[in-house]
mmCIF file of all heavy atoms in Angstrom:
data_model
loop_
_atom_site.group_PDB
_atom_site.id
_atom_site.type_symbol
_atom_site.label_atom_id
_atom_site.label_comp_id
_atom_site.label_asym_id
_atom_site.label_seq_id
_atom_site.Cartn_x
_atom_site.Cartn_y
_atom_site.Cartn_z
ATOM 1 N N ARG L 28 -5.419 5.955 9.506
ATOM 2 C CA ARG L 28 -6.354 5.184 8.679
ATOM 3 C C ARG L 28 -5.845 5.077 7.241
ATOM 4 O O ARG L 28 -6.004 4.041 6.597
ATOM 5 C CB ARG L 28 -7.740 5.822 8.698
ATOM 6 C CG ARG L 28 -8.472 5.638 10.011
ATOM 7 C CD ARG L 28 -9.880 6.153 9.929
ATOM 8 N NE ARG L 28 -10.542 6.086 11.221
ATOM 9 C CZ ARG L 28 -11.778 6.518 11.440
ATOM 10 N NH1 ARG L 28 -12.479 7.040 10.456
ATOM 11 N NH2 ARG L 28 -12.317 6.430 12.646
ATOM 12 N N GLU L 29 -5.253 6.166 6.739
ATOM 13 C CA GLU L 29 -4.728 6.111 5.379
ATOM 14 C C GLU L 29 -3.578 5.115 5.284
ATOM 15 O O GLU L 29 -3.501 4.332 4.328
ATOM 16 C CB GLU L 29 -4.261 7.493 4.916
ATOM 17 C CG GLU L 29 -3.700 7.460 3.514
ATOM 18 C CD GLU L 29 -3.351 8.832 2.957
ATOM 19 O OE1 GLU L 29 -3.748 9.857 3.559
ATOM 20 O OE2 GLU L 29 -2.662 8.875 1.906
ATOM 21 N N ILE L 30 -2.695 5.111 6.281
ATOM 22 C CA ILE L 30 -1.575 4.171 6.284
ATOM 23 C C ILE L 30 -2.091 2.728 6.303
ATOM 24 O O ILE L 30 -1.640 1.879 5.528
ATOM 25 C CB ILE L 30 -0.656 4.440 7.492
ATOM 26 C CG1 ILE L 30 0.073 5.776 7.316
ATOM 27 C CG2 ILE L 30 0.359 3.308 7.669
ATOM 28 C CD1 ILE L 30 0.798 6.251 8.559
ATOM 29 N N ASP L 31 -3.047 2.467 7.189
ATOM 30 C CA ASP L 31 -3.593 1.111 7.292
ATOM 31 C C ASP L 31 -4.295 0.691 6.002
ATOM 32 O O ASP L 31 -4.167 -0.459 5.549
ATOM 33 C CB ASP L 31 -4.577 1.026 8.459
ATOM 34 C CG ASP L 31 -3.897 1.171 9.813
ATOM 35 O OD1 ASP L 31 -2.658 1.019 9.871
ATOM 36 O OD2 ASP L 31 -4.601 1.440 10.803
ATOM 37 N N THR L 32 -5.044 1.624 5.411
ATOM 38 C CA THR L 32 -5.768 1.318 4.171
ATOM 39 C C THR L 32 -4.803 1.025 3.036
ATOM 40 O O THR L 32 -4.999 0.087 2.258
ATOM 41 C CB THR L 32 -6.690 2.487 3.787
ATOM 42 O OG1 THR L 32 -7.613 2.722 4.854
ATOM 43 C CG2 THR L 32 -7.472 2.177 2.511
ATOM 44 N N ARG L 33 -3.749 1.821 2.942
ATOM 45 C CA ARG L 33 -2.752 1.590 1.887
ATOM 46 C C ARG L 33 -2.058 0.241 2.072
ATOM 47 O O ARG L 33 -1.775 -0.458 1.094
ATOM 48 C CB ARG L 33 -1.724 2.727 1.876
ATOM 49 C CG ARG L 33 -2.270 4.035 1.305
ATOM 50 C CD ARG L 33 -1.174 5.086 1.237
ATOM 51 N NE ARG L 33 -1.638 6.325 0.640
ATOM 52 C CZ ARG L 33 -1.738 6.557 -0.667
ATOM 53 N NH1 ARG L 33 -1.400 5.591 -1.523
ATOM 54 N NH2 ARG L 33 -2.162 7.714 -1.129
ATOM 55 N N GLY L 34 -1.802 -0.138 3.316
ATOM 56 C CA GLY L 34 -1.183 -1.439 3.559
ATOM 57 C C GLY L 34 -2.073 -2.590 3.118
ATOM 58 O O GLY L 34 -1.610 -3.550 2.498
ATOM 59 N N LEU L 35 -3.369 -2.477 3.412
ATOM 60 C CA LEU L 35 -4.303 -3.523 3.007
ATOM 61 C C LEU L 35 -4.482 -3.543 1.496
ATOM 62 O O LEU L 35 -4.534 -4.612 0.873
ATOM 63 C CB LEU L 35 -5.648 -3.311 3.706
ATOM 64 C CG LEU L 35 -6.718 -4.388 3.527
ATOM 65 C CD1 LEU L 35 -6.167 -5.789 3.785
ATOM 66 C CD2 LEU L 35 -7.907 -4.104 4.444
ATOM 67 N N LEU L 36 -4.545 -2.364 0.881
ATOM 68 C CA LEU L 36 -4.632 -2.300 -0.577
ATOM 69 C C LEU L 36 -3.395 -2.911 -1.225
ATOM 70 O O LEU L 36 -3.489 -3.602 -2.250
ATOM 71 C CB LEU L 36 -4.804 -0.854 -1.035
ATOM 72 C CG LEU L 36 -6.231 -0.313 -1.034
ATOM 73 C CD1 LEU L 36 -6.222 1.198 -1.253
ATOM 74 C CD2 LEU L 36 -7.073 -0.993 -2.115
ATOM 75 N N ALA L 37 -2.230 -2.663 -0.636
ATOM 76 C CA ALA L 37 -0.994 -3.237 -1.177
ATOM 77 C C ALA L 37 -1.066 -4.765 -1.173
ATOM 78 O O ALA L 37 -0.660 -5.424 -2.138
ATOM 79 C CB ALA L 37 0.211 -2.760 -0.361
ATOM 80 N N SER L 38 -1.624 -5.337 -0.101
ATOM 81 C CA SER L 38 -1.767 -6.795 -0.032
ATOM 82 C C SER L 38 -2.705 -7.307 -1.116
ATOM 83 O O SER L 38 -2.463 -8.356 -1.720
ATOM 84 C CB SER L 38 -2.300 -7.197 1.350
ATOM 85 O OG SER L 38 -1.364 -6.872 2.358
ATOM 86 N N LEU L 39 -3.776 -6.568 -1.365
ATOM 87 C CA LEU L 39 -4.735 -6.984 -2.396
ATOM 88 C C LEU L 39 -4.111 -6.884 -3.794
ATOM 89 O O LEU L 39 -4.279 -7.783 -4.623
ATOM 90 C CB LEU L 39 -5.992 -6.128 -2.307
ATOM 91 C CG LEU L 39 -6.841 -6.334 -1.045
ATOM 92 C CD1 LEU L 39 -7.903 -5.252 -0.933
ATOM 93 C CD2 LEU L 39 -7.480 -7.716 -1.040
ATOM 94 N N TYR L 40 -3.405 -5.792 -4.064
ATOM 95 C CA TYR L 40 -2.726 -5.656 -5.362
ATOM 96 C C TYR L 40 -1.686 -6.754 -5.550
ATOM 97 O O TYR L 40 -1.515 -7.284 -6.658
ATOM 98 C CB TYR L 40 -2.066 -4.282 -5.476
ATOM 99 C CG TYR L 40 -3.011 -3.176 -5.875
ATOM 100 C CD1 TYR L 40 -3.161 -2.034 -5.092
ATOM 101 C CD2 TYR L 40 -3.750 -3.257 -7.064
ATOM 102 C CE1 TYR L 40 -4.022 -1.009 -5.464
ATOM 103 C CE2 TYR L 40 -4.611 -2.239 -7.443
ATOM 104 C CZ TYR L 40 -4.749 -1.125 -6.637
ATOM 105 O OH TYR L 40 -5.615 -0.119 -7.021
ATOM 106 N N GLU L 41 -1.002 -7.102 -4.467
ATOM 107 C CA GLU L 41 -0.013 -8.179 -4.550
ATOM 108 C C GLU L 41 -0.685 -9.495 -4.946
ATOM 109 O O GLU L 41 -0.167 -10.257 -5.765
ATOM 110 C CB GLU L 41 0.701 -8.333 -3.209
ATOM 111 C CG GLU L 41 1.769 -9.421 -3.224
ATOM 112 C CD GLU L 41 2.420 -9.639 -1.870
ATOM 113 O OE1 GLU L 41 2.039 -8.931 -0.905
ATOM 114 O OE2 GLU L 41 3.284 -10.521 -1.765
ATOM 115 N N ARG L 42 -1.849 -9.778 -4.393
ATOM 116 C CA ARG L 42 -2.564 -11.005 -4.729
ATOM 117 C C ARG L 42 -2.994 -11.030 -6.194
ATOM 118 O O ARG L 42 -3.130 -12.097 -6.788
ATOM 119 C CB ARG L 42 -3.798 -11.154 -3.834
ATOM 120 C CG ARG L 42 -3.468 -11.376 -2.366
ATOM 121 C CD ARG L 42 -4.735 -11.640 -1.586
ATOM 122 N NE ARG L 42 -4.479 -11.725 -0.147
ATOM 123 C CZ ARG L 42 -5.335 -12.219 0.733
ATOM 124 N NH1 ARG L 42 -6.512 -12.687 0.323
ATOM 125 N NH2 ARG L 42 -5.046 -12.257 2.006
ATOM 126 N N LEU L 43 -3.200 -9.844 -6.755
ATOM 127 C CA LEU L 43 -3.541 -9.759 -8.176
ATOM 128 C C LEU L 43 -2.307 -9.805 -9.067
ATOM 129 O O LEU L 43 -2.422 -9.808 -10.301
ATOM 130 C CB LEU L 43 -4.324 -8.467 -8.453
ATOM 131 C CG LEU L 43 -5.751 -8.401 -7.904
ATOM 132 C CD1 LEU L 43 -6.316 -6.985 -8.074
ATOM 133 C CD2 LEU L 43 -6.651 -9.429 -8.570
ATOM 134 N N GLY L 44 -1.120 -9.804 -8.453
ATOM 135 C CA GLY L 44 0.123 -9.800 -9.219
ATOM 136 C C GLY L 44 0.516 -8.425 -9.717
ATOM 137 O O GLY L 44 1.440 -8.297 -10.534
ATOM 138 N N ARG L 45 -0.134 -7.387 -9.226
ATOM 139 C CA ARG L 45 0.146 -6.008 -9.658
ATOM 140 C C ARG L 45 1.126 -5.377 -8.658
ATOM 141 O O ARG L 45 0.765 -4.550 -7.823
ATOM 142 C CB ARG L 45 -1.162 -5.231 -9.777
ATOM 143 C CG ARG L 45 -2.029 -5.765 -10.914
ATOM 144 C CD ARG L 45 -3.512 -5.494 -10.754
ATOM 145 N NE ARG L 45 -3.855 -4.074 -10.743
ATOM 146 C CZ ARG L 45 -5.115 -3.624 -10.703
ATOM 147 N NH1 ARG L 45 -6.129 -4.488 -10.682
ATOM 148 N NH2 ARG L 45 -5.368 -2.331 -10.676
ATOM 149 N N ILE L 46 2.385 -5.807 -8.769
ATOM 150 C CA ILE L 46 3.398 -5.478 -7.766
ATOM 151 C C ILE L 46 3.727 -3.987 -7.748
ATOM 152 O O ILE L 46 3.908 -3.392 -6.677
ATOM 153 C CB ILE L 46 4.680 -6.305 -7.999
ATOM 154 C CG1 ILE L 46 4.333 -7.812 -7.972
ATOM 155 C CG2 ILE L 46 5.722 -5.982 -6.936
ATOM 156 C CD1 ILE L 46 3.658 -8.277 -6.708
ATOM 157 N N ASP L 47 3.815 -3.365 -8.929
ATOM 158 C CA ASP L 47 4.129 -1.936 -8.963
ATOM 159 C C ASP L 47 3.074 -1.129 -8.214
ATOM 160 O O ASP L 47 3.404 -0.172 -7.496
ATOM 161 C CB ASP L 47 4.239 -1.449 -10.409
ATOM 162 C CG ASP L 47 5.499 -1.947 -11.093
ATOM 163 O OD1 ASP L 47 6.438 -2.365 -10.382
ATOM 164 O OD2 ASP L 47 5.561 -1.914 -12.339
ATOM 165 N N GLU L 48 1.799 -1.501 -8.383
ATOM 166 C CA GLU L 48 0.732 -0.781 -7.680
ATOM 167 C C GLU L 48 0.768 -1.058 -6.182
ATOM 168 O O GLU L 48 0.470 -0.165 -5.367
ATOM 169 C CB GLU L 48 -0.626 -1.170 -8.265
ATOM 170 C CG GLU L 48 -0.855 -0.584 -9.653
ATOM 171 C CD GLU L 48 -2.026 -1.212 -10.363
ATOM 172 O OE1 GLU L 48 -1.857 -2.317 -10.926
ATOM 173 O OE2 GLU L 48 -3.116 -0.595 -10.361
ATOM 174 N N ALA L 49 1.150 -2.267 -5.817
ATOM 175 C CA ALA L 49 1.296 -2.593 -4.395
ATOM 176 C C ALA L 49 2.401 -1.741 -3.774
ATOM 177 O O ALA L 49 2.215 -1.156 -2.690
ATOM 178 C CB ALA L 49 1.612 -4.072 -4.228
ATOM 179 N N ILE L 50 3.531 -1.646 -4.456
ATOM 180 C CA ILE L 50 4.642 -0.844 -3.939
ATOM 181 C C ILE L 50 4.259 0.631 -3.874
ATOM 182 O O ILE L 50 4.619 1.342 -2.924
ATOM 183 C CB ILE L 50 5.905 -1.061 -4.799
ATOM 184 C CG1 ILE L 50 6.440 -2.491 -4.578
ATOM 185 C CG2 ILE L 50 6.975 -0.030 -4.470
ATOM 186 C CD1 ILE L 50 7.610 -2.866 -5.471
ATOM 187 N N ALA L 51 3.497 1.105 -4.859
ATOM 188 C CA ALA L 51 3.064 2.509 -4.856
ATOM 189 C C ALA L 51 2.208 2.818 -3.623
ATOM 190 O O ALA L 51 2.324 3.903 -3.027
ATOM 191 C CB ALA L 51 2.288 2.817 -6.130
ATOM 192 N N GLN L 52 1.351 1.872 -3.234
ATOM 193 C CA GLN L 52 0.548 2.079 -2.032
ATOM 194 C C GLN L 52 1.437 2.177 -0.791
ATOM 195 O O GLN L 52 1.209 3.008 0.096
ATOM 196 C CB GLN L 52 -0.461 0.945 -1.866
ATOM 197 C CG GLN L 52 -1.584 0.940 -2.875
ATOM 198 C CD GLN L 52 -2.486 2.150 -2.765
ATOM 199 O OE1 GLN L 52 -2.595 2.780 -1.707
ATOM 200 N NE2 GLN L 52 -3.146 2.500 -3.863
ATOM 201 N N LEU L 53 2.457 1.346 -0.731
ATOM 202 C CA LEU L 53 3.366 1.373 0.418
ATOM 203 C C LEU L 53 4.237 2.620 0.396
ATOM 204 O O LEU L 53 4.588 3.160 1.454
ATOM 205 C CB LEU L 53 4.222 0.107 0.421
ATOM 206 C CG LEU L 53 3.404 -1.178 0.612
ATOM 207 C CD1 LEU L 53 4.241 -2.406 0.297
ATOM 208 C CD2 LEU L 53 2.847 -1.268 2.035
ATOM 209 N N ASP L 54 4.580 3.110 -0.797
ATOM 210 C CA ASP L 54 5.281 4.396 -0.904
ATOM 211 C C ASP L 54 4.442 5.500 -0.250
ATOM 212 O O ASP L 54 4.954 6.343 0.496
ATOM 213 C CB ASP L 54 5.527 4.759 -2.370
ATOM 214 C CG ASP L 54 6.585 3.887 -3.033
ATOM 215 O OD1 ASP L 54 7.349 3.216 -2.315
ATOM 216 O OD2 ASP L 54 6.627 3.878 -4.283
ATOM 217 N N GLY L 55 3.135 5.477 -0.545
ATOM 218 C CA GLY L 55 2.236 6.481 0.030
ATOM 219 C C GLY L 55 2.138 6.357 1.536
ATOM 220 O O GLY L 55 2.096 7.368 2.252
ATOM 221 N N ALA L 56 2.100 5.138 2.041
ATOM 222 C CA ALA L 56 2.033 4.934 3.485
ATOM 223 C C ALA L 56 3.293 5.444 4.170
ATOM 224 O O ALA L 56 3.233 6.123 5.209
ATOM 225 C CB ALA L 56 1.839 3.452 3.789
ATOM 226 N N LEU L 57 4.451 5.147 3.579
ATOM 227 C CA LEU L 57 5.719 5.562 4.189
ATOM 228 C C LEU L 57 5.981 7.055 4.022
ATOM 229 O O LEU L 57 6.750 7.631 4.795
ATOM 230 C CB LEU L 57 6.865 4.732 3.612
ATOM 231 C CG LEU L 57 6.867 3.273 4.103
ATOM 232 C CD1 LEU L 57 7.721 2.387 3.224
ATOM 233 C CD2 LEU L 57 7.318 3.205 5.563
ATOM 234 N N ALA L 58 5.342 7.693 3.060
ATOM 235 C CA ALA L 58 5.433 9.150 2.945
ATOM 236 C C ALA L 58 4.756 9.822 4.136
ATOM 237 O O ALA L 58 5.126 10.926 4.542
ATOM 238 C CB ALA L 58 4.788 9.609 1.641
ATOM 239 N N LEU L 59 3.761 9.145 4.709
ATOM 240 C CA LEU L 59 3.068 9.670 5.875
ATOM 241 C C LEU L 59 3.783 9.306 7.172
ATOM 242 O O LEU L 59 3.725 10.044 8.154
ATOM 243 C CB LEU L 59 1.636 9.127 5.921
ATOM 244 C CG LEU L 59 0.714 9.581 4.794
ATOM 245 C CD1 LEU L 59 -0.579 8.780 4.812
ATOM 246 C CD2 LEU L 59 0.409 11.071 4.916
ATOM 247 N N ASP L 60 4.452 8.160 7.195
ATOM 248 C CA ASP L 60 5.182 7.715 8.386
ATOM 249 C C ASP L 60 6.332 6.819 7.934
ATOM 250 O O ASP L 60 6.135 5.634 7.660
ATOM 251 C CB ASP L 60 4.260 6.963 9.337
ATOM 252 C CG ASP L 60 4.967 6.505 10.608
ATOM 253 O OD1 ASP L 60 6.178 6.793 10.759
ATOM 254 O OD2 ASP L 60 4.317 5.856 11.448
ATOM 255 N N ASP L 61 7.523 7.395 7.847
ATOM 256 C CA ASP L 61 8.661 6.633 7.316
ATOM 257 C C ASP L 61 9.206 5.605 8.303
ATOM 258 O O ASP L 61 10.138 4.863 7.981
ATOM 259 C CB ASP L 61 9.779 7.572 6.856
ATOM 260 C CG ASP L 61 10.352 8.427 7.983
ATOM 261 O OD1 ASP L 61 9.895 8.277 9.144
ATOM 262 O OD2 ASP L 61 11.232 9.249 7.706
ATOM 263 N N LYS L 62 8.605 5.542 9.498
ATOM 264 C CA LYS L 62 9.037 4.554 10.496
ATOM 265 C C LYS L 62 7.974 3.476 10.713
ATOM 266 O O LYS L 62 8.058 2.724 11.685
ATOM 267 C CB LYS L 62 9.363 5.255 11.816
ATOM 268 C CG LYS L 62 10.605 6.148 11.737
ATOM 269 C CD LYS L 62 10.894 6.806 13.074
ATOM 270 C CE LYS L 62 12.222 7.538 13.048
ATOM 271 N NZ LYS L 62 12.297 8.560 11.985
#
């Protein structure tokens, strides 16, 4: 659920143009599952 939530949050941050925050969310998701 955390991975899925971070992915959706990353998409929302991207739509706001806040790319660094979007990437940070994906960093967190991949820290939980690097595959």
Side-chain angles (χ1 to χ4, degrees):
R28 287 186 185 178
E29 179 174 348
I30 291 169
D31 292 343
T32 301
R33 287 184 177 278
L35 186 49
L36 276 169
S38 295
L39 292 169
Y40 279 124
E41 181 184 0
R42 294 185 186 195
L43 290 171
R45 293 155 63 175
I46 303 303
D47 288 342
E48 288 167 279
I50 291 175
Q52 290 295 335
L53 296 167
D54 289 344
L57 288 163
L59 294 170
D60 181 1
D61 62 1
K62 292 181 172 57

